[in-house]
Amino acid sequence: MKTKDPAAIRAAIEEKSTLRPRDIAHAIGVSEAAVAATDVGRTMRRIEASPDRLMPHICDLGDVMALTRNESAVHERTGRYEEWHSGSHASMVLGSEIDLRIFPRHWCHGFAYQSEGNTKGPTRSIQIFDTFGEAVHKVYPRDGTDLDLWDRMVDALATDNTSDSVTVEPLPDPEGAKTRPEKADALREAWRRMTDTHQFLRLVSKFRMNRLGAYRIAGAPFARPLAPQAVDAALGRVAENGTQIMLFVGNRGCIQIHSGKIETLKQMGPWQNVLDERFNLHLRIDQIAEAWLVQKPTKRGMALSVEAFDAEGRLILQLFGLRKEHADYTHAFAEMAEALPVLETVE
C-alpha cells in the first residue's frame, strides 16, 4: 500500500464522495482502515478490537445486521448475536440467524462510526480491520437495536488513541494453488479416512498444500471441476426449488454463515444479489475463476459442497445442503449439485 498522509486521504475522499469507503481505498491506493482513521475525532472513535471485549456487548443489542465480506462477496445477515463462545485460536457466535467463526488474532483495528447527518437519525456502525487494514467484520443497527446500549458499548470500548492515521502491514502476495502432485495418493488416502469436515485444512496443511491445491490434484470423486457459471446456476436452482442451504463467506478474520432458504435473486451488472428480508448476498459472478464440487466424508455421511475461487486462488464462498434434526436437505442439494455444468479440463 502507498503511504498517504491523512489530509491527502481526506482530500481524496471529498473528491470521490459518491464511492463507498472500500472503493475509495482501492481508488487511492490505501487501506480501508486508513480511510476510516482519517475521521477519528469527527464521525469515528477508536475502540478495542478484541472479540472477547466486543461480542458480549453486541449480544445485548437485539436485532442488528452483521456484515462479513471478501473481495468478491458480501454477506449481510440481520438477527441477534446469541451464544458467544470464546477461544484463543477460533471463537464462535452460534445463533439461529447470526452464525460466525472468528479468528481473534486478525481483529486488530476497531472503529465506531456515528454520523448525525442522516435525516432518519444518527447512522452508526462497528468496523473491525486486520493488520493489513482490510475489513474483517462490521455491525450495523436495525429497527430492533437498543441504541442506548449501543452508545454505552462504544463508551465502554473507546480507547485513548485519537490518531487520524493507522499503521498497517503490506498485503502479502496471493498464495494461489499450492500443489504437490507427488503426494496425490497419500492425500486421497488421508481424505478417505476423514470423519469431520473440520479436519480438512489440517490434512492439506500436513501435505504442505492448501485447499485449492488439494482440489486440483485429488481428482474425482473427491473434487470435480465445475464451470464457473455453475455457482450462479446453483443459487438460482436452490432459490427455485426451496432447498435450504448453508452459505459461507469469509476472510482472514471471520466466516459468516447463512442457514436457510434463499428466495429473491436479482442480478445487477456483474453482481448477483440475494435480496431477502433478513439475508442479503452480493456476489461478483464475473470474478469466479474456478468452481468445484467437493465431497468430504463425515460420521454423518458425505458432506457435499459447491465452492468458488477467484483468479488468484482465494476462496469466495461455499454452499452446502442444510442438515437439521428434523429436516435434511443434503439429498436435494446433492441432486441439484450433480446436475451443474461441469468443466471438462483444468489448466
Side-chain angles (χ1 to χ4, degrees):
M1 288 277 180
K2 296 175 186 174
T3 301
K4 290 183 184 286
D5 66 73
I9 296 175
R10 279 192 288 271
I13 293 170
E14 283 293 318
E15 251 181 58
K16 303 177 186 299
S17 59
T18 58
L19 298 180
R20 295 178 184 273
R22 186 182 183 93
D23 296 327
I24 292 171
H26 284 181
I28 63 179
V30 299
S31 69
E32 189 182 348
V35 171
T38 60
D39 238 10
V40 169
R42 288 171 289 275
T43 62
M44 287 288 189
R45 292 176 75 181
R46 289 181 182 268
I47 60 170
E48 294 180 57
S50 163
D52 280 335
R53 290 280 289 128
L54 180 59
M55 288 301 159
H57 288 281
I58 293 179
C59 287
D60 292 335
L61 294 178
D63 252 16
V64 293
M65 190 268 275
L67 185 154
T68 300
R69 69 164 301 160
N70 53 48
E71 196 64 36
S72 304
V74 186
H75 190 299
E76 301 170 353
R77 192 68 164 91
T78 297
R80 292 171 174 263
Y81 287 63
E82 295 180 64
E83 296 179 36
W84 166 241
H85 299 266
S86 177
S88 56
H89 168 67
S91 303
M92 296 182 289
V93 174
L94 298 177
S96 57
E97 293 184 291
I98 306 293
D99 189 2
L100 306 174
R101 306 294 178 268
I102 288 169
F103 307 101
R105 70 187 183 92
H106 294 290
W107 289 49
C108 298
H109 306 286
F111 298 89
Y113 171 79
Q114 181 168 338
S115 170
E116 306 290 341
N118 192 313
T119 56
K120 295 182 180 178
T123 300
R124 296 168 170 85
S125 65
I126 298 297
Q127 304 182 19
I128 306 297
F129 301 90
D130 64 18
T131 55
F132 310 105
E134 295 204 314
V136 167
H137 190 61
K138 297 182 182 181
V139 184
Y140 297 84
R142 285 296 179 256
D143 288 343
T145 306
D146 187 326
L147 294 181
D148 289 336
L149 276 180
W150 181 291
D151 292 341
R152 291 204 291 274
M153 168 185 71
V154 173
D155 287 341
L157 297 174
T159 73
D160 295 330
N161 186 349
T162 58
S163 172
D164 61 359
S165 64
V166 65
T167 301
V168 298
E169 297 176 16
L171 274 168
D173 292 332
E175 189 176 64
K178 291 172 63 178
T179 63
R180 296 185 71 204
E182 72 278 10
K183 295 291 184 181
D185 288 341
L187 170 67
R188 294 183 195 112
E189 183 56 36
W191 197 321
R192 285 189 190 95
R193 294 198 304 268
M194 284 175 55
T195 57
D196 189 291
T197 57
H198 297 100
Q199 297 167 357
F200 182 73
L201 289 182
R202 290 195 299 272
L203 183 156
V204 298
S205 177
K206 182 179 77 171
F207 292 112
R208 290 184 291 170
M209 288 184 260
N210 59 11
R211 183 190 300 275
L212 182 56
Y215 293 172
R216 285 190 182 180
I217 70 166
F222 306 100
R224 288 170 281 168
L226 299 173
Q229 64 267 29
V231 178
D232 192 29
L235 292 173
R237 291 176 190 179
V238 298
E240 184 179 341
N241 62 28
T243 299
Q244 295 194 32
I245 61 171
M246 298 181 74
L247 193 157
F248 293 63
V249 169
N251 54 50
R252 292 179 191 88
C254 189
I255 298 169
Q256 187 163 308
I257 307 162
H258 163 72
S259 297
K261 293 181 180 180
I262 63 171
E263 296 177 310
T264 307
L265 281 177
K266 184 175 182 181
Q267 187 170 344
M268 290 176 270
W271 292 94
Q272 179 61 278
N273 303 279
V274 177
L275 301 175
D276 293 340
E277 184 179 358
R278 294 173 74 82
F279 171 60
N280 284 188
L281 173 74
H282 311 290
L283 173 65
R284 282 288 299 263
I285 53 177
D286 62 324
Q287 292 181 357
I288 298 174
E290 294 186 39
W292 291 84
L293 183 60
V294 182
Q295 65 175 39
K296 303 184 183 85
T298 76
K299 289 179 180 177
R300 300 174 68 187
M302 202 63 71
L304 194 70
S305 60
V306 174
E307 308 190 13
F309 294 82
D310 68 15
E312 295 181 322
R314 295 174 296 203
L315 180 63
I316 298 173
L317 61 73
Q318 297 171 296
L319 305 174
F320 293 81
L322 180 63
R323 180 188 277 130
K324 290 182 177 177
E325 189 177 343
H326 303 296
D328 188 342
Y329 293 90
T330 55
H331 298 297
F333 181 84
E335 233 176 76
M336 177 280 300
E338 294 286 354
L340 291 172
V342 173
L343 188 67
E344 297 302 331
T345 58
V346 180
E347 293 282 328

